[in-house]
Amino acid sequence: MDAPCNTGDGGRLAAFSMVLRHLIDAHQEKAAERLINQCNRVFSRQLLEYPVIAWHARSSYVVRNRLRRKIDLVPDDPSADVLISLIPVFNVWCQEGRRSAVRSVVREMSRLDLIDLAKRPGLDMEVATMIREFID
């Protein structure tokens, strides 16, 4: 498998796919589906083609299901930011003591996304501190 790209959407795709893997590996399919439902259609399609999703059959199934259920009549917000949807997941993981999961996802993100994410309201201070470790 190729190393993930940490720039632009490639970093977001890698990070998002890692979050999905962690959720699905923890048998939290409903949480994974809710997370996917916060993505716009374009990002979901890119995610479906991303290599990490492709080699994890259950993740691929969840993404495909999400795309099939997406109703064309519902407006798709192309400006929806997937970073916002990661905040509650990171916060819960931190509270549960799953800091290694947070770090594995953050490691995949671009520096600009990390800077942006660290400034977001609602992000647990411990998560923000972990993110800053990857920025510096």
Side-chain angles (χ1 to χ4, degrees):
M1 185 176 97
D2 295 335
C5 171
N6 288 336
T7 58
D9 278 345
R12 288 183 180 202
L13 288 167
F16 207 86
S17 66
M18 289 297 292
V19 169
L20 288 175
R21 282 194 53 107
H22 283 287
L23 289 171
I24 290 168
D25 287 346
H27 304 288
Q28 296 177 334
E29 286 87 1
K30 292 289 184 193
E33 286 184 31
R34 282 192 302 271
L35 189 64
I36 290 169
N37 285 335
Q38 296 178 40
C39 297
N40 64 42
R41 191 178 300 117
V42 172
F43 187 81
S44 295
R45 284 193 180 119
Q46 291 172 341
L47 187 62
L48 185 59
E49 296 168 2
Y50 192 75
V52 174
I53 291 295
W55 62 263
H56 193 278
R58 181 67 183 142
S59 299
S60 184
Y61 172 77
V62 171
V63 174
R64 279 193 196 101
N65 239 5
R66 190 267 189 218
L67 286 172
R68 266 189 252 123
R69 287 185 308 200
K70 184 85 173 175
I71 300 170
D72 288 330
L73 300 175
V74 176
D76 193 29
D77 183 5
S79 65
D81 190 355
V82 296
L83 292 180
I84 294 169
S85 63
L86 297 179
I87 292 172
V89 175
F90 287 161
N91 290 346
V92 168
W93 284 353
C94 190
Q95 292 169 359
E96 293 175 347
R98 298 182 61 201
R99 288 160 189 82
S100 63
V102 174
R103 284 188 172 90
S104 72
V105 173
V106 168
R107 186 176 297 118
E108 301 297 328
M109 298 173 72
S110 73
R111 187 173 191 278
L112 292 176
D113 282 343
L114 291 174
I115 291 169
D116 184 26
L117 185 61
K119 295 177 184 176
R120 298 287 177 131
L123 186 67
D124 185 282
M125 286 303 294
E126 189 174 352
V127 176
T129 302
M130 280 189 269
I131 289 172
R132 286 189 193 97
E133 292 172 16
F134 290 89
I135 295 172
D136 297 333

